[in-house]
Amino acid sequence: MAGNSFGEIFKITTFGESHGPAIGVVIDGVPPNLPLNESDIQFELNRRRPGQSVITTQRQEADTAHILSGVLAGRTTGTPLAILINNTDQQTRDYEALKNIFRPGHADFGYQTKFGIRDYRGGGRSSGRETACRVAAGAIAKKILRNHNINIIAYTLAIGDITAKKIDLATIEKNPVRCPDPEAALLMAQKIEIARNQQNSLGGIIQAVAHGCPAGLGDPVFDKLNACLAHAVMSIGGVSGVEFGDGFAAAARHGLEQNDKFYMDGDKVRTMTNHAGGILGGISTGADIILRVAFKPTASISQPQQSVTVDGKDTSVEIHGRHDPCICPRAVVVVEAMIAVTILDRLLIQKIIRESPASV
Amino acid sequence: MAGNSFGEIFKITTFGESHGPAIGVVIDGVPPNLPLNESDIQFELNRRRPGQSVITTQRQEADTAHILSGVLAGRTTGTPLAILINNTDQQTRDYEALKNIFRPGHADFGYQTKFGIRDYRGGGRSSGRETACRVAAGAIAKKILRNHNINIIAYTLAIGDITAKKIDLATIEKNPVRCPDPEAALLMAQKIEIARNQQNSLGGIIQAVAHGCPAGLGDPVFDKLNACLAHAVMSIGGVSGVEFGDGFAAAARHGLEQNDKFYMDGDKVRTMTNHAGGILGGISTGADIILRVAFKPTASISQPQQSVTVDGKDTSVEIHGRHDPCICPRAVVVVEAMIAVTILDRLLIQKIIRESPASV
Amino acid sequence: MAGNSFGEIFKITTFGESHGPAIGVVIDGVPPNLPLNESDIQFELNRRRPGQSVITTQRQEADTAHILSGVLAGRTTGTPLAILINNTDQQTRDYEALKNIFRPGHADFGYQTKFGIRDYRGGGRSSGRETACRVAAGAIAKKILRNHNINIIAYTLAIGDITAKKIDLATIEKNPVRCPDPEAALLMAQKIEIARNQQNSLGGIIQAVAHGCPAGLGDPVFDKLNACLAHAVMSIGGVSGVEFGDGFAAAARHGLEQNDKFYMDGDKVRTMTNHAGGILGGISTGADIILRVAFKPTASISQPQQSVTVDGKDTSVEIHGRHDPCICPRAVVVVEAMIAVTILDRLLIQKIIRESPASV
Amino acid sequence: MAGNSFGEIFKITTFGESHGPAIGVVIDGVPPNLPLNESDIQFELNRRRPGQSVITTQRQEADTAHILSGVLAGRTTGTPLAILINNTDQQTRDYEALKNIFRPGHADFGYQTKFGIRDYRGGGRSSGRETACRVAAGAIAKKILRNHNINIIAYTLAIGDITAKKIDLATIEKNPVRCPDPEAALLMAQKIEIARNQQNSLGGIIQAVAHGCPAGLGDPVFDKLNACLAHAVMSIGGVSGVEFGDGFAAAARHGLEQNDKFYMDGDKVRTMTNHAGGILGGISTGADIILRVAFKPTASISQPQQSVTVDGKDTSVEIHGRHDPCICPRAVVVVEAMIAVTILDRLLIQKIIRESPASV
């Protein structure tokens, strides 16, 4: 209801503010007997960690995951898994000047209106820092999915007006923007540097692929797999659009060219094309699930912007905290996490349906 | 869990198949004492009704709404409102030939794999007919929202490669494609006719605006207003993408141009632009909420397409039922309904927060 | 939220008022491929039906179940099953006199205060008539559970001060009070007749047993099997208490005598006694699940009672509609239904846990 | 789904095992702007704390509450409140001997069967230690309810065969059993001492009263206030029964004596008696809500008991950890907490209904 939980079976509940003592996540519905230790989670947290390159925020957080419950001797027990991440490098003084000002492009005004109070320190609950908790949960989801030969990979497809021209997955983690096209990656990194030097910021597009999903995931009508995935990724701060398969381009097409025709590949049903992005009628088809997520430019910029105060006066504001000039390189990890949590949830729901006791 | 409910406070649960005896919706959480009668619902159902013009399916359904509960002497009582819509013009014989074939672009294969059984008659549960129930619920949500001066309006922005060049809301209901640009509307209608004559189909884009929403709607982290709206509209069959405000175009921008600056308009906080589409950090700002929804071309076309049978053989299929060559003109009403249900739900949740007993 | 749904996987949503056109239930999460037809449901509805004997209400309702969706050619499809039961014998004139009076022992005052409006005709939504929908859903749950060799049986243990002295399950359906002790049954029936002739009513206790439940059902902490069952049966109108195993008597005992000791019966773990009623720590042990449900006397009696009017005046009221002088004989069927729905729900949840993909 | 959350608006999710590093609770839906600090929570935790008297377990835990999020400068912000309680006095060696044995009367067998793995250290997740988290959440709920003049008080009504003969609320916290009858309290304490000396344990009954609840709380059909409260208290370990108002005694009565007649007290509707325990048709009437909760004797006793091993062999077991010989004195605080959380949740839900926008 209050919005801090996601998922039905594999259900995550996150808590914590950017400048509070800690953030964390409670995951209920973790399957029992899963080998798990903190390094499984740390690996993904390190990918999302601030300060990992010159083009990300310079806030330094180790983002060390502490598992508080739900694991005994390296195996999950089926009880809730609580993961705690302490905040260590808060610089609250950066935000004192912003205490009474609504930052343009930020949630400040909405939170103040909604709750009549807001934690102004680093955006409080609306900070991107909260996504570390999603990544921690996503690390576990990804591990379980890999046991099912389902792999989720995301990458930066575009930054500003620069778009990857080829997709070489092996190169993604080798450049700071996480772009699968090394040449485009160079241009993107330069563009981000320039934006930062100009006290400006950039948007971008992340593409994600879930490979190996069995057919049959997703539920009729309101919990279609694409609807759940759209909910999942649109809940990441700064996302302004999501599309599946051919997405908006499909709107300009005719049915005959757009429909993915079926054929038999041995005893497997396959489609000759994948315009639909692996989902038909809200249910996975077994083809790659493909989506693109648009991110608007980072709202925090240090140029003066016109704004207003909490008590209703016009003012000007410059935002001098530490920020990512472009969120995409780190958001790649968050997009993967949200997709993993969503697909695992639907995979577990499907367990009930196909293993159901009706016909025994 | 099984996917047939949507909403938390104003919660709708739909049931029914395209060729069963009836479809319907149960709405729990309808505020009490709302003046309501069947004509309030019928008005919106008539807008969505099949057979209303030459460019829609020729299936004839009166789509008469019967209220079975929750209303006493023209007022809601706070108990669940059940609305029944009988099916009257099923032509199941159209589908006998398709009983053992997976139609390309449809949910057939997914449902069969998911459940091990499927109602092949007109797509069964995955039929667009199910959206009549959404429209019935949406009619009530829209009525309540209007009491709050919140109005939701959607229209066809593009069909195939034709895009509206101007937005004249007064003209929307005056042309069969529900386009706010009369000239574009003519071209669109022609294009749809041609597609049908060529046994083909077309996609399109619907734009929607929610006007009058107070600031503060939507909830932190996972239930951001845009995340809930994306879930809502992506759950409509045939949707391939959704974007808010500048959407995918924002990904190519810099922060300084993209941020909507705040200013005081008397005692109201307003933004000088609305690139964000009325939502910041997942919370409404009071500006118009603007989104665009991409629809792929109708999957049902009567040209031969390669496909496979349920028992794993390659085949060819022609789909000869009655279909909309382009779903957008009728889907406009469904998009409005889903947005209305979503916004009303968040409005009711906000009642708890702002009327909360904490500070008494 | 608004209270008209129950269950998580096998989820029922009921609607309808006592004197509206119809009542009904939507069941989401019905496992696919279950052979099902209306007679499966009708059998249980007939057991609950009003007017079945001289000691029940004389309202005559056929309570015919109409399946509107979710079944194709005698098998469930996995989509929601809607069941409609038309009301046919409403005598609304009986209630005109009660329109402005709060009946003692009834929900009238609560509903009026809660909603600011209430359907006064036969109690509206708060009528026991609503339980027909639970019985319809329970019929399906019981059928699925029988496929798992789980049987649920309830019976009248006590009426007023008369208590069954023996439990002969074969006799339950052979007497109108559904008591497993034929001699006590005779006395109970006489006592109910006397109460009715005296324009009075009686309470009673129903005992229920779920036989054949596997160990491992129920979930830690808040969704313990006994907690869910208590919720389920306490939601039936007129219930004033519920206890499991030795129940309140256990409070007066010592641990040594109360603990059920374990022993091996071949390769099965069993308990030497069953003081706990088949549930330990909220999880089923495989022993019979035993509970008792106390029902207060029917609130509707035709003797004059002091009361107040909706507009705040003292008054006196006599209730002359048709009522059960004791609800237990018919409530037996409702208790069984709620237990069945609850246990099936937890059985389906357990499918996820034990069939979970973690350790693959 | 997995059972570790409770509530709909004021929603608590607990985590942690008896012998893990910490336990905790995340509370979503805390109303904003509530003055709150750790001492508000600590007060109630201290009441539940182990080792507080000679008749409780000698495990020493400070049970210090750490608020990790959701509070800024002494006020709640509307975002999730996470409370952490570190475990400090685990003696895991006590449990090594029990690693492969199912303790009679405990959840061990159920958890092992359910999950295929279990944390054997002190009962793991099924330990009563988990209830500290409920008490922490309950402390906040009670504070909010007090702002509404709603007070919840529970006490030990009976221990073994000794029952309080009078109710003097002022004496409850003055004796170690929390009994409102000082003379009975003395006898109860003696009886507990004797049980402990005999390596045995005792059950008891707790009575609770919610005073000041407005009429109109609770929701129709499945979420009746008594159903939700029954769920809440039955989810506490060791509870074997719950009854409201006259409870099981009502089953032996006639309607005329049982019905609480209404009368006007100035402009307030009141009942002349309170046999119903403040709830009619599942909705509060404004009278005191009264319930009794039966606790079976503590399962852990150090006398030898017959049992079985995890690998299916008969054995004998003595349980030598530190335990409460009777759980009631400390469970009083847990019962209050669960009632508070439940009533607050329904109070918040009622905000939506009565402040609803329908009739604007």
Side-chain angles (χ1 to χ4, degrees):
Chain A
M1 187 70 44
N4 299 286
S5 295
F6 187 80
E8 300 199 88
I9 305 286
F10 187 86
K11 181 165 198 164
I12 69 176
T13 300
T14 71
F15 61 86
E17 277 82 35
S18 177
H19 287 225
I23 58 174
V25 57
V26 181
I27 316 173
D28 207 2
V30 180
N33 262 313
L34 176 76
L36 187 77
N37 58 52
E38 284 161 349
S39 66
D40 291 314
I41 299 161
Q42 200 60 51
F43 174 80
E44 295 287 345
L45 282 176
N46 289 348
R47 292 178 68 211
R48 194 214 74 102
R49 201 164 57 79
Q52 62 186 276
S53 82
V54 293
I55 59 166
T56 64
T57 172
Q58 294 310 300
R59 178 168 172 171
Q60 292 295 332
E61 291 285 357
D63 279 356
T64 307
H66 301 282
I67 297 178
L68 299 183
S69 62
V71 175
L72 178 74
R75 284 189 173 263
T76 59
T77 60
T79 63
L81 215 135
I83 301 169
L84 199 71
I85 302 168
N86 291 307
N87 290 329
T88 60
D89 188 30
Q90 308 100 304
Q91 295 189 2
T92 299
R93 62 183 153 72
D94 287 349
Y95 291 93
E96 288 300 320
L98 299 170
K99 193 171 179 172
N100 294 310
I101 300 176
F102 300 134
R103 293 169 299 164
H106 275 284
D108 300 350
F109 171 58
Y111 270 65
Q112 184 72 40
T113 308
K114 179 171 204 66
F115 295 116
I117 185 174
R118 99 196 130 92
D119 188 340
Y120 62 91
R121 305 165 306 167
R125 182 73 182 137
S126 72
S127 165
R129 179 137 188 77
E130 164 272 328
T131 60
C133 300
R134 306 183 187 217
V135 168
I140 298 168
K142 286 172 83 170
K143 180 164 185 174
I144 297 172
L145 291 175
R146 279 194 301 271
N147 287 346
H148 277 62
N149 299 313
I150 301 171
N151 284 283
I152 291 153
I153 194 153
Y155 43 80
T156 298
L157 185 70
I159 297 286
D161 56 3
I162 303 169
T163 300
K165 299 228 163 10
K166 61 173 189 178
I167 309 291
D168 178 357
L169 300 181
T171 68
I172 296 170
E173 295 293 321
K174 293 180 180 158
N175 64 74
V177 285
R178 292 201 168 89
C179 174
D181 173 349
E183 288 179 45
L186 269 175
L187 297 171
M188 289 171 177
Q190 287 169 2
K191 197 170 177 85
I192 292 173
E193 280 277 10
I194 293 168
R196 182 165 61 185
N197 292 339
Q198 294 175 336
Q199 302 182 305
N200 215 331
S201 63
L202 277 170
I205 296 173
I206 290 174
Q207 182 158 290
V209 180
H211 180 74
C213 269
L217 303 191
D219 288 276
V221 182
F222 297 112
D223 290 342
K224 291 183 166 81
L225 185 54
N226 42 339
C228 293
L229 285 167
H231 190 146
V233 297
M234 285 293 313
S235 77
I236 303 169
V239 173
S240 55
V242 57
E243 59 179 10
F244 291 81
D246 291 354
F248 275 84
R253 300 258 175 74
H254 286 84
L256 186 62
E257 54 184 326
Q258 186 68 20
N259 283 343
D260 300 310
K261 281 76 182 177
F262 290 113
Y263 72 99
M264 296 306 304
D265 177 13
D267 63 347
K268 295 271 289 182
V269 173
R270 296 200 193 278
T271 54
M272 306 175 79
T273 49
N274 188 12
H275 297 298
I279 302 174
L280 280 177
I283 315 283
S284 64
T285 64
D288 280 358
I289 294 170
I290 300 169
L291 58 157
R292 278 174 301 285
V293 188
F295 283 82
K296 67 172 189 175
T298 310
S300 291
I301 54 175
S302 49
Q303 294 186 59
Q305 297 180 90
Q306 187 172 341
S307 191
V308 299
T309 63
V310 172
D311 51 353
K313 297 200 171 60
D314 286 301
T315 187
S316 175
V317 62
E318 296 170 30
I319 304 170
H320 288 296
R322 300 157 298 177
H323 309 100
D324 292 90
C326 179
I327 199 64
C328 289
R330 293 171 62 210
V332 157
V333 190
V334 183
V335 167
E336 288 179 0
M338 290 308 294
I339 293 172
V341 167
T342 306
I343 290 179
L344 174 59
D345 201 33
R346 293 294 141 187
L347 185 75
L348 291 169
I349 290 171
Q350 182 64 1
K351 283 277 158 191
I352 311 168
I353 295 170
R354 291 301 270 163
E355 316 289 331
S356 77
S359 52
V360 170
Chain B
M1 187 67 46
N4 298 287
S5 296
F6 187 80
E8 300 200 88
I9 305 288
F10 187 85
K11 182 166 198 165
I12 69 177
T13 300
T14 72
F15 61 86
E17 277 81 35
S18 175
H19 288 225
I23 58 176
V25 58
V26 180
I27 316 173
D28 208 3
V30 180
N33 262 314
L34 176 74
L36 187 77
N37 58 52
E38 285 162 348
S39 66
D40 290 313
I41 299 161
Q42 199 60 49
F43 175 79
E44 294 288 344
L45 283 176
N46 289 348
R47 290 178 70 213
R48 195 214 73 104
R49 199 164 59 80
Q52 62 186 274
S53 83
V54 292
I55 60 166
T56 64
T57 172
Q58 293 311 300
R59 177 168 172 173
Q60 292 297 329
E61 290 285 357
D63 279 355
T64 307
H66 301 282
I67 298 178
L68 298 183
S69 62
V71 175
L72 179 73
R75 284 188 172 264
T76 59
T77 61
T79 62
L81 214 135
I83 301 169
L84 197 70
I85 302 169
N86 291 306
N87 290 329
T88 59
D89 188 30
Q90 309 99 307
Q91 297 189 1
T92 299
R93 63 186 151 72
D94 287 349
Y95 292 92
E96 287 300 319
L98 300 170
K99 191 170 179 173
N100 294 310
I101 299 176
F102 298 134
R103 293 169 299 164
H106 275 284
D108 300 349
F109 173 59
Y111 270 64
Q112 183 73 39
T113 308
K114 180 171 202 66
F115 295 116
I117 185 174
R118 99 196 128 94
D119 187 340
Y120 62 90
R121 304 167 306 168
R125 182 74 181 137
S126 72
S127 165
R129 179 138 187 75
E130 165 271 329
T131 59
C133 300
R134 307 183 186 216
V135 168
I140 298 168
K142 287 173 82 170
K143 180 163 186 175
I144 297 172
L145 290 175
R146 278 194 303 268
N147 288 346
H148 278 60
N149 300 313
I150 301 170
N151 283 283
I152 291 152
I153 194 152
Y155 43 79
T156 298
L157 185 70
I159 298 285
D161 55 4
I162 303 168
T163 301
K165 301 230 163 9
K166 61 175 190 177
I167 308 291
D168 178 357
L169 299 181
T171 68
I172 295 170
E173 295 292 322
K174 293 180 179 157
N175 64 73
V177 284
R178 293 200 167 88
C179 175
D181 173 349
E183 286 178 48
L186 268 175
L187 297 172
M188 288 173 177
Q190 286 168 3
K191 196 171 177 84
I192 292 173
E193 281 276 10
I194 293 167
R196 182 164 63 186
N197 291 339
Q198 293 175 337
Q199 302 183 307
N200 214 332
S201 64
L202 277 169
I205 296 174
I206 290 173
Q207 182 158 289
V209 180
H211 179 75
C213 269
L217 303 192
D219 289 276
V221 184
F222 298 112
D223 290 341
K224 291 183 165 81
L225 185 55
N226 42 340
C228 293
L229 285 168
H231 190 145
V233 298
M234 285 295 311
S235 77
I236 303 170
V239 173
S240 55
V242 57
E243 59 179 10
F244 292 81
D246 291 354
F248 275 83
R253 300 257 175 74
H254 285 84
L256 187 61
E257 55 184 326
Q258 186 67 21
N259 282 344
D260 300 310
K261 281 76 181 175
F262 290 112
Y263 72 101
M264 295 306 303
D265 177 14
D267 63 348
K268 294 270 290 181
V269 173
R270 297 199 193 277
T271 54
M272 305 175 80
T273 49
N274 189 13
H275 296 298
I279 302 174
L280 280 177
I283 315 284
S284 64
T285 63
D288 280 357
I289 294 170
I290 300 170
L291 58 156
R292 278 175 300 286
V293 188
F295 284 81
K296 68 173 188 174
T298 310
S300 292
I301 54 174
S302 48
Q303 292 185 59
Q305 295 180 89
Q306 188 172 341
S307 191
V308 300
T309 62
V310 173
D311 50 353
K313 296 198 171 60
D314 286 301
T315 187
S316 176
V317 62
E318 297 170 29
I319 304 169
H320 288 297
R322 299 158 297 176
H323 310 99
D324 291 276
C326 178
I327 199 64
C328 289
R330 293 172 61 209
V332 157
V333 190
V334 183
V335 168
E336 288 179 0
M338 290 308 295
I339 292 172
V341 166
T342 305
I343 289 179
L344 174 59
D345 201 33
R346 293 294 140 186
L347 185 75
L348 292 169
I349 290 170
Q350 181 64 359
K351 284 275 157 192
I352 312 168
I353 295 169
R354 292 300 270 165
E355 316 289 333
S356 77
S359 50
V360 171
Chain C
M1 187 68 45
N4 299 288
S5 295
F6 187 81
E8 300 200 88
I9 304 287
F10 187 86
K11 182 166 198 164
I12 69 176
T13 300
T14 71
F15 61 85
E17 278 80 36
S18 177
H19 288 224
I23 58 175
V25 57
V26 180
I27 316 172
D28 207 2
V30 180
N33 262 314
L34 176 75
L36 186 77
N37 58 53
E38 286 161 348
S39 67
D40 290 313
I41 298 162
Q42 199 60 50
F43 174 79
E44 294 288 345
L45 282 176
N46 289 348
R47 290 179 69 212
R48 195 215 73 103
R49 200 164 57 80
Q52 61 186 275
S53 81
V54 291
I55 60 166
T56 64
T57 172
Q58 294 309 301
R59 178 168 171 172
Q60 292 296 329
E61 290 285 357
D63 278 355
T64 306
H66 301 281
I67 299 178
L68 298 182
S69 62
V71 175
L72 179 73
R75 286 189 172 263
T76 59
T77 60
T79 63
L81 215 135
I83 301 170
L84 197 71
I85 302 169
N86 291 306
N87 290 330
T88 59
D89 188 30
Q90 309 100 306
Q91 297 188 0
T92 299
R93 62 184 152 73
D94 288 348
Y95 292 93
E96 288 299 319
L98 299 170
K99 192 170 180 174
N100 294 311
I101 300 177
F102 298 134
R103 294 169 298 163
H106 275 284
D108 301 349
F109 172 59
Y111 270 64
Q112 184 73 39
T113 308
K114 180 171 202 67
F115 295 116
I117 185 175
R118 99 196 127 93
D119 188 340
Y120 62 90
R121 305 166 307 168
R125 183 72 181 138
S126 72
S127 165
R129 180 140 188 74
E130 165 271 329
T131 59
C133 300
R134 307 184 186 216
V135 168
I140 298 168
K142 286 173 82 171
K143 180 165 186 174
I144 297 172
L145 290 175
R146 278 194 301 270
N147 288 346
H148 277 61
N149 299 314
I150 301 171
N151 284 283
I152 290 153
I153 193 152
Y155 43 80
T156 298
L157 186 70
I159 298 286
D161 54 5
I162 303 169
T163 301
K165 301 228 163 13
K166 62 174 190 178
I167 308 293
D168 177 358
L169 300 181
T171 68
I172 295 170
E173 294 292 321
K174 292 181 179 157
N175 64 72
V177 284
R178 292 200 169 90
C179 175
D181 173 348
E183 286 178 47
L186 268 175
L187 297 172
M188 288 172 178
Q190 286 168 4
K191 196 171 178 84
I192 293 173
E193 281 276 11
I194 292 168
R196 183 164 63 186
N197 291 340
Q198 293 174 337
Q199 302 182 308
N200 214 332
S201 64
L202 277 170
I205 297 173
I206 290 174
Q207 181 158 289
V209 180
H211 179 75
C213 269
L217 304 191
D219 288 277
V221 184
F222 297 113
D223 289 342
K224 292 184 165 81
L225 185 55
N226 42 340
C228 293
L229 285 168
H231 190 145
V233 297
M234 285 294 311
S235 78
I236 304 170
V239 173
S240 54
V242 58
E243 59 179 10
F244 292 81
D246 291 354
F248 275 84
R253 300 257 176 75
H254 286 84
L256 187 61
E257 54 184 327
Q258 186 68 19
N259 282 344
D260 300 310
K261 281 75 182 176
F262 289 112
Y263 72 100
M264 297 304 304
D265 177 13
D267 63 347
K268 295 271 289 182
V269 174
R270 296 200 193 278
T271 54
M272 306 174 80
T273 49
N274 189 11
H275 296 298
I279 302 173
L280 281 176
I283 315 283
S284 63
T285 64
D288 280 358
I289 294 170
I290 300 170
L291 58 156
R292 277 175 300 287
V293 187
F295 283 82
K296 67 172 189 175
T298 310
S300 292
I301 54 174
S302 48
Q303 293 185 57
Q305 296 180 88
Q306 188 171 339
S307 191
V308 300
T309 62
V310 173
D311 50 354
K313 296 199 172 61
D314 286 301
T315 188
S316 175
V317 62
E318 297 170 30
I319 304 169
H320 288 297
R322 299 157 297 177
H323 310 100
D324 292 90
C326 178
I327 199 65
C328 289
R330 293 171 61 208
V332 157
V333 190
V334 183
V335 167
E336 288 179 0
M338 290 308 294
I339 293 172
V341 166
T342 305
I343 290 179
L344 175 58
D345 201 33
R346 293 295 140 184
L347 186 75
L348 291 168
I349 290 170
Q350 181 63 0
K351 284 275 156 191
I352 310 168
I353 296 170
R354 291 300 271 165
E355 315 289 332
S356 78
S359 51
V360 172
Chain D
M1 186 70 46
N4 298 288
S5 296
F6 187 80
E8 299 199 89
I9 304 288
F10 187 85
K11 181 167 198 163
I12 68 176
T13 300
T14 72
F15 61 85
E17 278 80 36
S18 177
H19 287 225
I23 58 175
V25 57
V26 181
I27 316 174
D28 207 4
V30 181
N33 262 314
L34 176 75
L36 186 76
N37 58 52
E38 285 161 350
S39 67
D40 291 313
I41 298 161
Q42 199 60 50
F43 174 79
E44 295 287 345
L45 282 176
N46 289 350
R47 291 179 68 213
R48 194 215 73 103
R49 201 164 56 80
Q52 62 186 275
S53 82
V54 292
I55 60 166
T56 64
T57 172
Q58 294 309 302
R59 179 168 171 170
Q60 292 296 332
E61 290 285 356
D63 278 356
T64 306
H66 301 281
I67 298 178
L68 299 182
S69 61
V71 175
L72 179 73
R75 286 189 173 263
T76 59
T77 60
T79 62
L81 214 134
I83 301 169
L84 198 69
I85 303 168
N86 290 307
N87 291 329
T88 59
D89 188 29
Q90 307 102 304
Q91 296 189 1
T92 298
R93 61 183 152 74
D94 287 348
Y95 292 93
E96 287 301 318
L98 300 170
K99 192 171 180 173
N100 293 311
I101 299 177
F102 298 134
R103 294 169 299 164
H106 275 285
D108 300 350
F109 172 59
Y111 270 65
Q112 184 71 40
T113 308
K114 179 170 202 67
F115 294 116
I117 186 174
R118 97 197 132 92
D119 187 340
Y120 62 89
R121 306 165 306 167
R125 183 71 181 138
S126 71
S127 166
R129 180 138 187 75
E130 165 270 329
T131 60
C133 300
R134 306 183 186 217
V135 168
I140 298 167
K142 286 172 83 171
K143 180 165 185 173
I144 297 172
L145 291 176
R146 278 194 302 269
N147 287 346
H148 277 60
N149 300 313
I150 301 171
N151 284 283
I152 290 153
I153 192 152
Y155 44 80
T156 298
L157 185 70
I159 298 285
D161 54 5
I162 303 169
T163 301
K165 299 228 162 12
K166 61 174 189 177
I167 308 291
D168 178 358
L169 299 181
T171 69
I172 296 170
E173 295 292 322
K174 294 181 179 159
N175 64 74
V177 284
R178 293 202 168 88
C179 175
D181 173 349
E183 287 179 48
L186 269 175
L187 297 172
M188 289 172 178
Q190 286 169 2
K191 196 171 177 84
I192 292 174
E193 281 276 10
I194 292 167
R196 184 165 61 185
N197 292 339
Q198 293 175 337
Q199 303 182 307
N200 214 333
S201 63
L202 277 169
I205 297 173
I206 289 174
Q207 182 158 289
V209 179
H211 179 76
C213 269
L217 304 192
D219 289 276
V221 183
F222 297 113
D223 289 342
K224 292 183 165 81
L225 185 55
N226 43 339
C228 293
L229 286 168
H231 191 146
V233 297
M234 285 294 313
S235 78
I236 304 169
V239 173
S240 55
V242 57
E243 59 179 10
F244 292 81
D246 291 354
F248 274 84
R253 299 258 175 74
H254 285 84
L256 187 60
E257 56 184 325
Q258 187 66 22
N259 282 344
D260 299 311
K261 280 76 182 177
F262 290 112
Y263 72 100
M264 296 306 303
D265 177 12
D267 64 346
K268 294 271 290 183
V269 173
R270 296 200 193 278
T271 54
M272 307 174 79
T273 49
N274 189 11
H275 297 298
I279 302 173
L280 281 177
I283 315 283
S284 64
T285 64
D288 280 357
I289 294 171
I290 301 170
L291 58 157
R292 278 174 301 286
V293 188
F295 283 82
K296 67 171 189 174
T298 310
S300 291
I301 54 174
S302 48
Q303 294 185 58
Q305 296 181 88
Q306 189 171 338
S307 191
V308 299
T309 63
V310 172
D311 50 354
K313 296 199 171 60
D314 286 301
T315 187
S316 175
V317 63
E318 296 170 29
I319 304 169
H320 289 296
R322 299 158 298 177
H323 310 100
D324 292 89
C326 178
I327 199 66
C328 288
R330 293 172 61 210
V332 157
V333 190
V334 183
V335 168
E336 287 179 0
M338 289 308 294
I339 293 172
V341 167
T342 305
I343 290 179
L344 175 59
D345 201 34
R346 293 295 141 186
L347 186 75
L348 292 168
I349 290 171
Q350 182 64 359
K351 282 278 158 191
I352 311 168
I353 295 170
R354 292 300 270 163
E355 316 288 332
S356 77
S359 50
V360 171

